[in-house]
């Protein structure tokens, strides 16, 4: 059974304090790893797709990386508006995604 | 721009009522999904559809049914709403060629 575990569950940072969120996975044949951002009361917003170990994607202060067992979402010099829950998901076969439970990030000014 | 819309942001229903949640996407996507999201349980797949009139059960289909009569529209039906179906319901769509799912804004359903 595919499993996705995100850590930490919650993270509090000061504005400008860089950090990383982790997504570890146990799957039989990864066919894509996805990062989403979700604001309270809203639907998840797609951020990145990674397909193979060593791949990196960047968007503003966010950079996602992928190894054979985990993915990291690095946040550089975060701002309060980066506060959200970040979800990771994996695709193994078919059209379904398996989601982790997310990391709730709070960035204090 | 990618667009998935859901018929209601907030809905309050009574136990035993039949409830329809509608989702429309304008991206000509083949795949559509219904999830529910609850604190501590994450996103759980209820049903999905990979083509018109096709449907497959997800992880928690009990108490729900779906309908996909047109490619752009996917409906979730609660035949007889119960209090344990109080939740945030999220619709998503994806292309058969690409894997990213795009989500709607969600419907917060409360069953009294």
């Amino acid at each position: 059974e595919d499993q996705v575990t995100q850590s930490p569950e919650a993270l509090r940072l000061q504005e400008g304090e860089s950090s990383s969120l982790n997504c570890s996975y146990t799957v039989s044949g990864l066919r894509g790893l996805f990062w989403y951002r979700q604001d309270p009361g809203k639907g998840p917003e797609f951020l990145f797709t990674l397909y193979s170990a060593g791949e990196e994607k960047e968007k503003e202060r966010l950079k996602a990386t992928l190894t054979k067992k985990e993915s990291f979402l690095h946040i550089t010099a975060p701002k309060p508006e980066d506060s959200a829950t970040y979800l990771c998901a994996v695709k193994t076969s078919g059209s379904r995604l398996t989601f982790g439970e997310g990391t709730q990030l709070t960035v204090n000014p | 721009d990618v667009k998935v819309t859901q018929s209601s942001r907030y809905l309050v229903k009574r136990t035993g009522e039949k409830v329809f949640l509608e989702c429309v996407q304008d991206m000509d996507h083949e795949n559509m999904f219904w999830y529910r999201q609850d604190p501590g349980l994450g996103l759980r797949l209820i049903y999905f559809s990979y083509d018109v009139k096709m449907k497959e059960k997800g992880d928690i289909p009990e108490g729900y049914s779906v309908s996909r009569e047109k490619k752009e529209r996917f409906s979730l039906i609660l035949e007889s709403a119960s209090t344990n179906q109080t939740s945030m319901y999220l619709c998503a769509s994806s292309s058969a060629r690409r894997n990213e799912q795009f989500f709607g804004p969600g419907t917060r359903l409360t069953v009294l």
Side-chain angles (χ1 to χ4, degrees), chain A residues 31-32 34 36 38-46 48-51 57 85 87 91 94-102, chain B residues 9-10 31 33 35 37 40-43 45 48 50 57-59 88 90 94 96 98-106 108:
Chain A
R31 296 178 65 186
F34 308 86
Y36 289 83
Q38 187 175 24
D39 292 304
K42 297 187 178 181
E45 173 190 348
F46 169 72
F48 304 111
T49 307
L50 302 166
Y51 287 105
K57 293 273 180 75
T85 295
L87 299 171
K91 179 178 183 295
S95 305
R96 296 180 55 157
L97 300 184
T98 300
F99 283 85
E101 291 196 26
Chain B
R9 289 303 310 276
Y10 300 94
N31 305 317
F33 307 83
Y35 294 89
Q37 187 174 35
L41 296 175
L43 275 162
L45 183 65
F48 65 103
Y50 52 87
K57 292 180 180 180
D59 300 319
M88 170 70 107
L90 290 160
S94 71
R98 295 183 62 85
N99 302 315
E100 301 88 357
Q101 291 184 14
F102 295 93
F103 285 82
R108 172 81 58 189

Side-chain angles (χ1 to χ4, degrees), chain A residues 77-99:
Chain A
K79 298 182 177 182
E81 53 262 42
D82 294 321
S83 297
T85 295
Y86 291 85
L87 299 171
C88 159
V90 297
K91 179 178 183 295
T92 52
S93 63
S95 305
R96 296 180 55 157
L97 300 184
T98 300
F99 283 85

Side-chain angles (χ1 to χ4, degrees), chain A residues 93-97, chain B residues 30-35 44-62 64-68 74-76:
Chain A
S93 63
S95 305
R96 296 180 55 157
L97 300 184
Chain B
E30 292 80 7
N31 305 317
M32 295 188 76
F33 307 83
W34 275 107
Y35 294 89
R44 293 182 291 168
L45 183 65
I46 305 171
Y47 267 98
F48 65 103
S49 168
Y50 52 87
D51 202 350
V52 175
K53 297 193 185 294
M54 305 300 287
K55 61 185 179 184
E56 287 205 19
K57 292 180 180 180
D59 300 319
I60 51 163
E62 297 79 18
Y64 303 95
S65 62
V66 290
S67 172
R68 194 165 179 204
F74 192 35
S75 301
L76 179 69

